[in-house]
Amino acid sequence: MKGILLVNLGSPDSPDPKDVKKYLGEFLMDERVIDIPLVARTALVKGIILNTRPKQSAAAYKKIWWDEGSPLIVISERLQNKIQQQVDVPVGLAMRYGSMSIKKGLQELVDKGVDDVLIFPLYPQFAMATTETILVLAEALRKTNFPDLKIESVPAFYNKPDYIEVLSNSIKRHLEDKNYEHLLFSYHGVPERHIKKSDVTKSHCKIDGSCCITPSKAHEFCYRHQCLEVTRLVAKKLHLEEGTYSTSFQSRLGFDPWLLPYTDRTIERLGKQGVKNMAIVTPAFVSDCLETLEEIAMEGEELFHEVGGKEFTTIPCLNDDAEFVDLLANWISNWVSKSLTVS
């Protein structure tokens, strides 16, 4: 029997510093998140970050925590339940980090009689620290715990026409009554070295002004290209005028070069240049979370006002939007009835 396992990033069990420290420890010790040698990663994470960052992150989580729990978890569960209502196979939910583990998710499906699982990473774009780490762990678990289980996965869907239409419709709907001057597409940042490590050609990715717009098989796994392509396709769909929108990257860590331009500096620059009304959308996330609800909707707005901005509109992620639910349910139904075809 076929089954689906939706997989999102994860969340601490609570905004308590102890739970946040446990969660950050698992997340940051992932070799595909901080991709440096184990000794150096351990020294950095356990010797420095986990002794300083949990209290700060816990305070941020407390700002956005819902009565029902972590927004990312609650929203993901709503999405799971709505999809389950539309498809005839079991739909499970797991997180790459935290207590809702992929192992638990797979076990729940196996207990229901599932022997063929479609892993569905809830990320439109491919990245080492998101999709790749999910699939690597799922395969390791299959070998050690579920040897009779067949596993397939959904590829990055950043450029699928029906996804672009759903995302564009959501943006348009949330901006209908807004008199904005600039729309910023903010994607989660990654170190530049991740882009080069993911280059299957080992030579195409230069992170310059041309490689992401020059056709190459490297684009299948190039996070930067895929982010820029989402911006381009949505801008085309919405008939946005050149100069009224741009792309940036948020949430950097450490001192290594990360993808540019940075979101906070872009917000600051736009405000200083006289933009009074701006909107921001975060298409690297399908579910609102700490990075969208606190870093963008709170810190980003505060920064914009500090440099003279007036209206700051944060467009929600797709979350459990009806069109998005229909889209995912349709892709899943296609896989169940035929083969893995997401288009």
Side-chain angles (χ1 to χ4, degrees), residues 9 24 26-36 41 45 96-97 128-130 132-133 188-191 193-194 197 253 258:
L9 180 69
L24 288 177
E26 181 185 4
F27 173 52
L28 297 176
M29 282 302 295
D30 186 332
E31 64 181 353
R32 286 175 173 77
V33 174
I34 298 182
D35 55 326
I36 59 178
R41 186 165 69 252
V45 175
R96 175 58 182 87
Y97 311 102
M128 280 177 52
T130 56
E132 183 175 310
T133 189
H188 199 285
V190 300
R193 65 178 180 274
H194 283 202
K197 281 187 174 182
L253 175 68
W258 282 53

Side-chain angles (χ1 to χ4, degrees), residues 135-147:
L135 300 182
V136 168
L137 177 58
E139 177 59 17
L141 289 169
R142 186 196 66 78
K143 290 180 179 179
T144 57
N145 298 88
F146 309 99

Side-chain angles (χ1 to χ4, degrees), residues 143-326:
K143 290 180 179 179
T144 57
N145 298 88
F146 309 99
D148 299 323
L149 193 62
K150 180 182 179 183
I151 292 181
E152 299 176 75
S153 63
V154 173
F157 51 89
Y158 68 99
N159 61 349
K160 301 303 179 184
D162 39 6
Y163 163 71
I164 294 297
E165 181 173 5
V166 168
L167 177 59
S168 299
N169 288 344
S170 175
I171 294 171
K172 182 179 180 180
R173 186 167 61 251
H174 285 97
L175 292 180
E176 279 179 343
D177 60 345
K178 304 295 182 181
N179 185 28
Y180 72 96
E181 301 165 64
H182 194 94
L183 174 59
L184 182 61
F185 292 76
S186 178
Y187 300 85
H188 199 285
V190 300
E192 290 184 355
R193 65 178 180 274
H194 283 202
I195 303 300
K196 295 179 179 179
K197 281 187 174 182
S198 298
D199 181 3
V200 293
T201 71
K202 304 302 180 185
S203 61
H204 179 79
C205 293
K206 309 294 185 188
I207 314 183
D208 57 14
S210 64
C211 63
C212 280
I213 59 174
T214 302
S216 171
K217 61 182 180 180
H219 292 170
E220 182 180 356
F221 301 105
C222 179
Y223 178 74
R224 183 174 184 270
H225 162 79
Q226 294 179 10
C227 291
L228 295 177
E229 190 68 357
V230 170
T231 298
R232 185 187 72 82
L233 291 171
V234 170
K236 181 179 179 181
K237 187 78 175 179
L238 294 179
H239 306 290
L240 301 180
E241 294 183 9
E242 196 70 32
T244 65
Y245 66 93
S246 57
T247 295
S248 64
F249 299 90
Q250 64 191 80
S251 306
R252 57 195 182 275
L253 175 68
F255 301 100
D256 293 330
W258 282 53
L259 293 181
L260 294 170
Y262 298 140
T263 293
D264 54 356
R265 293 179 184 174
T266 301
I267 292 173
E268 184 177 27
R269 174 180 59 80
L270 289 170
K272 288 181 176 180
Q273 288 177 347
V275 172
K276 298 300 180 182
N277 305 301
M278 70 170 291
I280 188 166
V281 63
T282 50
F285 305 92
V286 301
S287 306
D288 276 308
C289 55
L290 184 69
E291 286 82 358
T292 65
L293 298 173
E294 197 272 340
E295 182 180 358
I296 295 298
M298 294 181 183
E299 291 185 3
E301 181 173 14
E302 182 179 357
L303 175 60
F304 187 57
H305 290 159
E306 287 176 354
V307 293
K310 299 299 182 182
E311 294 294 327
F312 187 86
T313 300
T314 305
I315 300 170
C317 294
L318 291 175
N319 293 327
D320 59 341
D321 175 88
E323 286 189 27
F324 187 51
V325 172
D326 290 344

Side-chain angles (χ1 to χ4, degrees), residues 34-54:
I34 298 182
D35 55 326
I36 59 178
L38 177 60
V39 173
R41 186 165 69 252
T42 301
L44 173 64
V45 175
K46 297 185 177 181
I48 300 176
I49 296 177
L50 294 185
N51 289 319
T52 58
R53 189 162 177 175

